[in-house]
Structure formats: structure tokens, C-alpha cells
Amino acid sequence: MIKINTKIIKIETNNIDREKIREAGQAIRDGKIVAFPTETVYGLGADALNEYAIRKIFLAKNRPLYDPLIVHISCLDEIFGLVKEVPAIAIDLAHNFWPGPLTMVLKKSSKISSMVTAGLETVAIRVPSHLVALALIQESKRPIVAPSANLFAHVSPTDANHVIDDLKGKVDIIIDSGRTSVGLESTVIDVTELPLKVLRLGGITIENIKRVTSEITIGNKKDNTIKSPGMMKKHYSPKAFLILSEGRNNTMVSNILSIAKKYKKMGNKVGIIATGENSDKYVGYTVGVIGNANDLEICAQNLYSQMRLLDKQNCDIIITENFQEKGIGSAIMDRLRRAAN
Ligand code: TXA
Ligand code: MG
């Protein structure tokens, strides 16, 4: 693929430079592609109403066209016109979780191109809470489609440097606002019919959604698998081979150590993703500490960056601890299972 000049623009989240946002907003209107921070992960944005610009996103990421995109808007009002109808439950969820890491799948209107939805009759929409993302959407005066700003199937970027590593020379602008706060992607829910269906676990926990509605199922009722189109079994992967330890119990550390020893003997460089409590137990290995086991939000925030760091240190294998499947821990385990598949 040809290389293009990528302009990197630093924008402070708490002191947004209007001039810089204006430049990025104009770029979106001009059909350019702009990587920008959201509270979950960085996105690669384009004008959602411009097929030519949308095509560039798929090319830059090397993303297959059957994987639909999320449309980002700056407030609930902007949803009307993009969808055929907004069910009452969607309004309820929006009032509770927008702006924030919740994506709702609704019936699309004719304004939304099938390139956005991969030919589906539904469209995924969310209002991010990151101030730079909101400013960009408002300034561009467009809904913005944005997949995570990584190469296809790679780990999502939680820092502008991750975007630079994957996409420099392939996109027009990368906005650098430092690290993202949630660290995992948004929760995706199909709200076109009841019960609501969770298609991807993420930043808004199921426990919190259940406080708003009990009419919700996780994934496929029959086999209990989560299936969002384009959500491959193998996904969110570091370059290293990833092994997820089974269960979080007294034998977890010794199990990890024995697997690590075996692979080290074969000549592999072994990295370990560890919680703070256990980090000093893996002597002789490259350890990535992601937070204390009970601080699941912190673990989520650091997970992807530690995967990328262990890759940078040329680990051949990454072995990761297991996490409690509650709150955002469920999303952490979902991503680890996919990365390990
Ligand atoms: O947090 C996030 O959601 C980030 C930031 C940038 O907003 N975006 C993100 O986008 O993770 P992406 O493209 O990496 O993941 C989008 C997910 C995919 O699993 C896709 O299958 C699902 O949303 N999706 C999109 N449109 C859909 C639709 N019409 N029906 C069902 N799932 C859909
Ligand atoms: Mg992605």
C-alpha cells in the first residue's frame, strides 16, 4: 500500500485547542481519515456519510468489508435520521449510559450506507464520553464511523503511540491525547427486539445494564456464545502466542510457572501478565503488571498496553493470569479468551 504523510496533533483533553480541533473536523469533512481518542480505545474516524472516506478506513486497517462499523454521534438527538425507530428502551439506556461505552444496534435508515453496516439492516451507534471525541464530532458536523485504530485483529490501541505503531503512514491525522481511561472497547447491545441481546461485553457492565432492564440475554441463547458480525473467535491478539491460565485459585501461580519453565527450556522468551499481588513470584520472566486483582477497572485499563509492551520486548509466548468474571472482569476474560484461541 502507498504511504501517506500522517500529521500527529497533540490535544490536551482538559484544555482543548479549538484551532486544532477545527483542523481535524475539517479533515473529516474533506473525506480524510483521523485517528482520535475515545474513553475506551482510540478510533479511526471518517465521515459516516461519505463512502469514499469509509473505504479508506477498511484499506488502512486491512479490515474485511464484512465487519460493520460503529457510528459515533455527540448526543442522543443526533440519532434521529440515522435510524428507522428508537425504541423506548434505547432512550432509557441512552439516558443512563450516554455519553459512555455503550453501543446500541438499531434498524438503520436509508441515510446509512451498507458499507457502514456490512450489508446489515441495522446500524451500531454510540455517544463517546471523551471530550476530544465529542469536540471532533461536533466540529466536523458529521456522524463519525470509527473502528478501533489498530491493524485488523491486532490489540486495540489505548495510547496514541499504539496508533502510531500500527497506522502511521496510512492515515491522514492521528490526534494524541494520551492514554484512554476504560481500556477495553464498548459494550455492544442489539436493541431491535426484546429481550435485548449483548453482542460484545465491554466498558458498561452487564450488572449495570440489568439495573435498567432485566430483559436482556447474553449472546446466543442456545449455546451462550456471543456473536457480533465480524467478531472473530481469534481477535484482539498480541503477536506473541497467548496462553490463558485456567481458573484463579491457589495453584494458578505454580501452574503458570510450570508452563513458563517448559517454554523457556525450548528457547522461548516468556512474558507473563500478572496482577500486583503475584508480580514478584515470576522470577526470571518478563512480567507485565496490570493492577491488583480486585481493581478490575485498573486491570482493564492496562491490559492492552501490557500486551503490546510484552510484544515490544520480543516475547514469543505470553502467559496470563485469570481474572474474576464480574463487572468489567467479564470483558477482560472475554478478550483474553479470544486472544488465546
Ligand atoms: O469502544 C469502541 O466500541 C471502539 C471505539 C473506537 O468507539 N470501537 C470499536 O469498533 O471497538 P470496532 O469496529 O473495533 O468494533 C465494532 C463492533 C464489532 O464487533 C462489530 O461486529 C459490531 O461492533 N457491530 C457494528 N455494527 C453492528 C451491527 N449492525 N450489528 C451487530 N454488531 C455490529
Ligand atoms: Mg476493533
Side-chain angles (χ1 to χ4, degrees):
M1 205 180 119
I2 60 155
K3 283 218 161 45
I4 59 173
N5 273 332
T6 299
K7 184 165 184 184
I8 296 167
I9 305 181
K10 266 200 187 311
I11 300 182
E12 276 177 55
T13 308
N14 295 317
N15 184 19
I16 295 179
D17 185 327
R18 301 313 312 184
E19 221 19 72
K20 292 178 177 171
I21 279 289
R22 234 167 266 143
E23 178 183 352
Q26 182 65 49
I28 293 280
R29 275 199 303 284
D30 290 344
K32 295 185 172 159
I33 55 177
V34 177
F36 64 98
T38 81
E39 72 281 17
T40 58
V41 301
Y42 275 74
L44 177 57
D47 177 354
L49 307 177
N50 179 342
E51 288 197 351
Y52 167 78
I54 298 167
R55 188 178 292 275
K56 290 202 269 187
I57 286 184
F58 284 94
L59 284 174
K61 284 194 51 143
N62 205 10
R63 178 177 174 116
L65 287 166
Y66 56 74
D67 195 354
L69 303 173
I70 296 173
V71 177
H72 297 68
I73 54 179
S74 77
C75 63
L76 176 60
D77 280 354
E78 291 168 5
I79 205 172
F80 302 97
L82 302 179
V83 301
K84 269 195 184 141
E85 60 196 17
V86 187
I89 184 66
I91 307 255
D92 255 14
L93 289 170
H95 284 151
N96 278 277
F97 302 114
W98 280 358
L102 177 74
T103 295
M104 290 195 261
V105 171
L106 298 118
K107 291 194 180 118
K108 81 173 192 75
S109 77
S110 57
K111 250 184 136 178
I112 298 286
S113 146
S114 64
M115 193 176 278
V116 171
T117 66
L120 297 171
E121 283 309 308
T122 53
V123 60
I125 301 192
R126 89 174 183 102
V127 177
S129 64
H130 197 292
L131 296 178
V132 173
L134 290 172
L136 179 66
I137 300 164
Q138 282 157 4
E139 188 59 45
S140 69
K141 302 182 182 67
R142 297 284 191 281
I144 295 182
V145 277
S148 50
N150 49 277
L151 288 173
F152 180 66
H154 196 207
V155 179
S156 293
T158 54
D159 188 288
N161 290 322
H162 302 161
V163 184
I164 291 170
D165 284 347
D166 277 19
L167 296 178
K168 188 163 180 239
K170 298 182 171 172
V171 304
D172 297 291
I173 293 176
I174 296 173
I175 297 178
D176 177 355
S177 303
R179 300 181 54 195
T180 66
S181 58
V182 177
L184 295 180
E185 301 82 353
S186 61
T187 303
V188 181
I189 304 189
D190 182 339
V191 298
T192 56
E193 55 188 19
L194 292 173
L196 309 182
K197 208 159 36 164
V198 178
L199 302 177
R200 178 175 75 180
L201 298 173
I204 297 289
T205 65
I206 302 306
E207 290 89 331
N208 278 339
I209 296 171
K210 282 191 173 160
R211 279 189 201 122
V212 178
T213 174
S214 55
E215 286 207 72
I216 186 161
T217 58
I218 300 187
N220 204 323
K221 257 196 183 155
K222 266 184 258 149
D223 55 6
N224 215 25
T225 53
I226 295 181
K227 204 159 183 305
S228 195
M231 200 166 173
M232 281 35 61
K233 266 185 149 183
K234 172 101 183 136
H235 213 141
Y236 310 100
S237 305
K239 296 195 182 80
F241 187 81
L242 192 131
I243 298 172
L244 170 60
S245 67
E246 287 305 321
R248 188 170 182 92
N249 49 37
N250 330 345
T251 58
M252 182 183 72
V253 171
S254 57
N255 285 343
I256 290 177
L257 282 168
S258 76
I259 302 169
K261 191 170 161 193
K262 184 176 104 189
Y263 281 103
K264 193 177 178 180
K265 252 197 188 151
M266 296 181 214
N268 295 293
K269 178 160 181 182
V270 178
I272 294 172
I273 291 179
T275 51
E277 292 88 337
N278 297 327
S279 59
D280 59 352
K281 297 179 184 150
Y282 305 113
V283 182
Y285 301 102
T286 311
V287 180
V289 186
I290 71 169
N292 289 340
N294 287 327
D295 288 344
L296 289 168
E297 277 80 18
I298 300 289
C299 293
Q301 205 177 63
N302 293 323
L303 178 67
Y304 287 157
S305 60
Q306 287 303 330
M307 280 187 185
R308 281 184 181 253
L309 258 179
L310 293 174
D311 263 345
K312 278 224 155 152
Q313 295 173 87
N314 297 314
C315 291
D316 303 295
I317 307 249
I318 298 173
I319 309 171
T320 160
E321 287 190 7
N322 204 283
F323 295 82
Q324 284 180 84
E325 295 204 49
K326 64 165 198 197
I328 202 161
S330 305
I332 294 178
M333 287 299 291
D334 170 74
R335 299 305 189 274
L336 289 177
R337 290 199 178 104
R338 284 173 208 281
N341 200 277

